[in-house]
Amino acid sequence: MDELHKFDDIVKQIQEKYTKIDQDTDDHLYGLLYSKPITYWDYIQTDALLNLQIQRTTLPDEMVFIAYHQINELIFKMILWEIDQVAQKEELDVAFFENKIMRVSRYFDMLTTSFNIMREGMEIEQYMKFRYTLTPASGFQSAQYRMIEFASTELINLIDYRFRKTIDRNTPFEHAFEHLYWQAAGKDYKTGKKSTLLVNFEKRYKGDFIRFMQTYNTKNLWSRFKELPQKDQKNEDLIKAMRHFDYTVNITWVMAHYNAARHYIESGTGDGEATGGSDWKKYMHPKYQKRIFFPELWSEEEITNWGENI
């Protein structure tokens, strides 16, 4: 009788589910008679996934480079997925907030340690050959990473430090976009000319970025943090989690990336320039731009020394 009761309860829940979306339960149950059992490879789409690594050269280590960056993009997708849950949560509480922040931090912790795969996993000679086939592309052009930044903090914290005093919440998004810190990697501010790297990036994503900036203008992690009651904003565990996230993304992960790039670019076998032609040192090193998502959670001394002695 227990099994029969359990079965009846499941059927009832199924009926309630389909009634809520104005669907005929019998039709869906009937369809189960002809559906195929799921397999791992169908669920994960393994065949499609493993056919996305298309080399431009015959050099074996290019496969490492491609697969590694695709894995990074998948992790970025997971990070955005977690941040979006914080952005959309109607009744945000400390426990939920901290849980999501630490999930994202663990993803970045993994990305940080994984840079050894890049640094030690490719022969310098091979990399310095196939990298020229990537010009003018660059990891700089990761749209998802830019979205992670937009979703993490208020826009003013992503503005080039030279222009922050001239921009506020009333500044049009288009104008703010032109003064984001990473514009310095592809723009000559004396002439206003943009590199091909930046032109291509904006042609593909600028519209998406502007819309994303508008959406997260009041839903980013810092804005949501400030919506919490004052006592929750002083929660030590939450503050610790947010500081960890900030430091991990803007110093630890960035410096792991920086050191991996320097390992190859300054190997003495190339021209010392990034594939996209950017001033990669000043763009990447945190001490120059002082990228900080939550500056209010850091002391004046910590901000002054941000990225120093790393």
Side-chain angles (χ1 to χ4, degrees), residues 4 16 31 37 40 43-44 47 59 78-79 93 140 144 190 207 215 219 222 239 242 264 271 299:
L4 182 60
E16 290 174 351
Y40 172 82
Y43 181 67
I44 301 299
D47 291 341
L59 297 164
M78 294 168 71
I79 290 168
D93 59 79
F140 169 95
Q144 287 197 113
K190 292 181 179 179
T215 298
K219 290 186 176 182
W222 181 244
I239 290 175
M242 293 186 71
Y264 291 99
D271 55 16
S299 69

Side-chain angles (χ1 to χ4, degrees), residues 52 63 66 86 118 123 127 138 174 201 231 233 235 276:
L52 295 175
M63 180 61 72
I66 294 172
V86 176
M118 280 285 287
E123 291 182 9
Y127 174 77
S138 168
E174 287 269 352
F201 192 39
K231 65 179 181 64
Q233 291 184 35
N235 182 279

Side-chain angles (χ1 to χ4, degrees), residues 14-25 28:
I14 291 174
Q15 288 176 324
E16 290 174 351
K17 171 185 175 179
Y18 289 115
T19 298
K20 286 180 180 179
I21 58 175
D22 196 27
Q23 292 286 299
D24 190 318
T25 303
H28 286 275

Side-chain angles (χ1 to χ4, degrees), residues 90-236:
E90 291 187 6
E91 295 183 10
L92 188 60
D93 59 79
V94 169
F96 183 87
F97 205 149
E98 181 190 350
N99 177 270
K100 295 303 180 184
I101 291 288
M102 290 310 300
R103 282 193 188 186
V104 171
S105 292
R106 284 192 291 272
Y107 290 141
F108 269 106
D109 286 337
M110 182 177 71
L111 289 172
T112 300
T113 57
S114 73
F115 265 113
N116 283 335
I117 295 173
M118 280 285 287
R119 182 170 178 171
E120 309 297 337
M122 298 185 298
E123 291 182 9
I124 291 178
E125 185 178 353
Q126 287 192 45
Y127 174 77
M128 298 309 293
K129 289 179 179 177
F130 72 70
R131 71 188 293 267
Y132 288 107
T133 69
L134 309 180
T135 306
S138 168
F140 169 95
Q141 296 170 316
S142 171
Q144 287 197 113
Y145 182 66
R146 302 300 161 206
M147 291 177 178
I148 289 170
E149 293 182 317
F150 295 143
S152 295
T153 188
E154 293 180 343
L155 200 55
I156 190 65
N157 296 322
L158 301 176
I159 299 297
D160 188 313
Y161 69 95
R162 293 171 294 178
F163 307 106
R164 288 182 186 176
K165 291 182 179 180
T166 66
I167 291 176
D168 57 31
R169 276 198 167 275
N170 296 319
T171 301
F173 287 102
E174 287 269 352
H175 181 76
F177 180 85
E178 292 297 329
H179 294 82
L180 291 168
Y181 81 88
W182 44 262
Q183 289 274 350
K187 180 190 291 184
D188 185 330
Y189 277 102
K190 292 181 179 179
T191 65
K193 183 178 181 180
K194 298 182 179 182
S195 66
T196 302
L197 165 81
L198 193 55
V199 170
N200 290 345
F201 192 39
E202 292 184 357
K203 184 178 180 181
R204 172 61 180 85
Y205 289 112
K206 184 176 179 179
D208 294 336
F209 286 158
I210 297 295
R211 287 188 290 273
F212 197 87
M213 289 160 64
Q214 292 172 329
T215 298
Y216 276 87
N217 187 41
T218 57
K219 290 186 176 182
N220 60 76
L221 293 177
W222 181 244
S223 293
R224 300 269 14 221
F225 174 81
K226 291 192 297 183
E227 291 177 12
L228 294 172
Q230 283 296 317
K231 65 179 181 64
D232 290 341
Q233 291 184 35
K234 296 177 182 179
N235 182 279
E236 291 184 4

Side-chain angles (χ1 to χ4, degrees), residues 27-39 42:
D27 289 345
H28 286 275
L29 291 175
Y30 192 68
L32 289 175
L33 294 174
Y34 304 99
S35 64
K36 295 189 299 182
I38 191 68
T39 62
D42 285 335

